[in-house]
Amino acid sequence: MLLDVNAAFGAVLAVLLALAAGVVALARLGRARDTLVAGARAAVQLVAVSLLIGWVVRSLPLLLCFLLLMYAVAVRTAGRRVVPAPGRAWRWAAVPIAAAVVPVVLALLLTGLVPLRGVALIPVTGILIGGALTATVLGGRRALDELATRKGEVEAGLAIGLLERDARLEVAREAAADALLPGMDQTRTVGLVTLPGAFVGMLLGGSSPLRAGAVQLFVLVALLLVQAVAVAVTLELVARGRLVRAPATPRRTSG
């Protein structure tokens, strides 16, 4: 067993979370409260999943409902991160995540590489959805930020006859592509800098190092595809004006 779940575990976890929040506050990297809330939510959610997963994996309908719940939470999170303003534009985040994850999962099921069992399907799908979520958020935010900063270049492109989609793509494409860097770096340095979770988990479960390495390689390559599709679709939605940020509402001044 890698960790013993006891009082010492809880105390160390609380100290680490408090230190993380303290660093955020001291360095003015955001709100320390957000770090504390994220840690608390992670604890509650993991406890709930740990209690539910043994029940969910025994029933196909429950398994599918659980996967849909994972997808819905990812869509909500991605949409609100990319389009923080009120409105319905955030719902378009459902498109890149589904376009990236669904074909890969279906291919894995049809080829038999992943069986239609919760114990195998839930972790694989969760990893892929998480990768698509990260790529969608980073790609969308970077693209929208770039368009806001270089608005004049978009207008210049329109002035020389480019379609609005093409003008926006020329400005936002390179920025959106930065969303692929974390996944690329993780894949390039695997085994040299980090030992990812799937590899370590299989080793702890008793698998041979060769089998664990094969599974981890499979996960990393699948993630490269999922993230590439998610970023490409997100960029297209931004270029077509589907994922947009609502203009800030001016504040009313009294008197």
Side-chain angles (χ1 to χ4, degrees), residues 214-228:
V215 171
Q216 185 61 67
L217 176 61
F218 169 80
V219 169
L220 289 172
V221 172
L223 274 174
L224 289 178
L225 172 60
V226 164
Q227 292 177 338

Side-chain angles (χ1 to χ4, degrees), residues 31-200:
R31 297 191 305 174
R33 178 178 176 275
D34 292 342
T35 301
L36 295 174
V37 171
R41 281 188 58 175
V44 172
Q45 289 164 189
L46 285 173
V47 168
V49 169
S50 300
L51 295 174
L52 288 174
I53 200 165
W55 179 47
V56 168
V57 297
R58 300 173 187 172
S59 169
L60 181 58
L62 290 176
L63 170 61
L64 296 178
C65 289
F66 188 77
L67 295 177
L68 286 174
L69 175 62
M70 294 168 63
Y71 170 68
V73 173
V75 169
R76 178 76 175 182
T77 303
R80 290 304 187 188
R81 286 292 186 189
V82 176
V83 190
R88 297 184 177 182
W90 66 268
R91 297 181 183 179
W92 282 99
V95 178
I97 296 177
V101 174
V102 172
V104 175
V105 172
L106 288 178
L108 297 179
L109 292 173
L110 292 175
T111 56
L113 290 176
V114 174
L116 189 59
R117 296 199 306 267
V119 69
L121 190 57
I122 287 177
V124 171
T125 306
I127 291 172
L128 297 179
I129 290 178
L133 164 61
T134 301
T136 300
V137 170
L138 292 178
R141 288 177 69 93
R142 291 287 288 117
L144 289 172
D145 288 345
E146 197 75 358
L147 288 174
T149 302
R150 300 167 58 186
K151 185 178 179 181
E153 293 181 40
V154 176
E155 294 175 349
L158 295 175
I160 63 173
L162 290 179
L163 297 176
E164 184 173 3
R165 169 188 173 274
D166 296 334
R168 292 164 69 90
L169 278 176
E170 287 297 320
V171 170
R173 182 180 284 112
E174 186 175 351
D178 287 346
L180 299 177
L181 292 179
M184 294 287 289
D185 289 342
Q186 182 185 28
T187 304
R188 288 189 182 121
T189 60
V190 65
L192 299 175
V193 178
T194 61
L195 294 177
F199 181 82
V200 175

